Amino acid sequence: MGLEMRVLLVLAMAICLPSATYAADGTATFYTPPYVPSSCYGYQNDGVMVAAASDAIWGNRAACGRRYRVTCTGATNQGVPQPCKGTSVVVKIVDYCPPGCRGTIDLSQEAFTVIANPNAGKIKITSSCNGYQNDGVLIAAASAPIFNNKAACGRSYRVTCTGATNQGVPQPCKGTSVVVKIVDLCPSPGCQATLDLSQEAFATIANPDAGKITIEYNQV
């Protein structure tokens, strides 16, 4: 079923869209520094936007290196009834949260603080449409108007670059189009575009250095 084609904006942020998206609903806790050594990378320093995976997503180390966008959706305790800050955070899995882990994902203290009041300790989270399903790399996150409380999950859109949004790359378009599947939400207020394409999808239609472009898109 086709939809009327419209000219809008798209922003490429590949790290926000893992090829295997995070569980649709779960909980997050946090742990404190030091973050090395880690189960995945030993003494390699991967910064502070990191997380440890519970058995639900660890997969015998298969989760190592995956990046997940995590969004706070609500409280788990009455002490902090409104913990969420209305933002999301992208974290890299570098460690294992062993049996007894209190959350689906155990965020670094810094990552947890980006999305919620750390006094909450544990929060409800959401991040995707399809749980642990691997939808490949030609995927996208939809802004709230398109996402429509997950109604857009699984829809495919043909996206074509039509022009530039910045003078740094005045002619970003490659003259091609790409079909992407909606697998995630690009949350407000941080989302800067109508569609947030994977890096691979964006690079198919435009110069990635542009970062943000004007597009035409329609449902296919």
Side-chain angles (χ1 to χ4, degrees), residues 27-31 97 101-103 105-108 112 121-123:
T27 57
T29 51
F30 70 86
Y31 64 116
C97 190
C101 189
R102 298 188 304 118
I105 191 168
D106 195 20
L107 303 176
S108 67
F112 190 99
K122 184 177 181 179
I123 54 172

Side-chain angles (χ1 to χ4, degrees), residues 10-195:
V10 61
L11 175 69
M13 294 182 64
I15 60 173
C16 293
L17 290 168
S19 58
T21 52
Y22 181 60
D25 297 291
T27 57
T29 51
F30 70 86
Y31 64 116
T32 57
Y35 302 125
V36 292
S38 67
S39 297
C40 295
Y41 301 110
Y43 287 93
Q44 176 179 313
N45 187 339
D46 288 286
V48 297
M49 293 301 160
V50 294
S54 68
D55 282 326
I57 57 176
W58 177 243
N60 193 27
R61 301 177 67 88
C64 286
R66 289 179 182 167
R67 296 180 186 270
Y68 296 106
R69 173 191 281 147
V70 183
T71 305
C72 175
T73 59
T76 62
N77 65 77
Q78 295 181 347
V80 184
Q82 296 181 324
C84 301
K85 294 184 177 180
T87 57
S88 65
V89 67
V90 176
V91 294
K92 179 181 179 180
I93 299 298
V94 300
D95 215 339
Y96 174 52
C97 190
C101 189
R102 298 188 304 118
T104 311
I105 191 168
D106 195 20
L107 303 176
S108 67
Q109 184 177 35
E110 292 84 351
F112 190 99
T113 302
V114 171
I115 62 172
N117 182 343
N119 291 330
K122 184 177 181 179
I123 54 172
K124 295 177 182 178
I125 58 170
T126 190
S127 181
S128 73
C129 297
N130 301 321
Y132 307 113
Q133 178 177 316
N134 188 331
D135 290 293
V137 297
L138 296 183
I139 53 179
S143 59
I146 296 178
F147 196 68
N148 191 22
N149 195 28
K150 296 191 178 182
C153 287
R155 289 178 183 168
S156 293
Y157 290 91
R158 185 180 302 278
V159 183
T160 305
C161 175
T162 59
T165 64
N166 65 76
Q167 296 180 347
V169 185
Q171 295 181 323
C173 300
K174 294 183 176 180
T176 56
S177 63
V178 66
V179 175
V180 294
K181 181 179 179 180
I182 301 298
V183 300
D184 211 345
L185 168 68
C186 186
S188 299
C191 191
Q192 301 179 48
T194 308
L195 292 173

Side-chain angles (χ1 to χ4, degrees), residues 197-209:
L197 301 182
S198 67
Q199 184 178 36
E200 292 85 352
F202 191 98
T204 299
I205 62 172
N207 182 343
D209 291 338

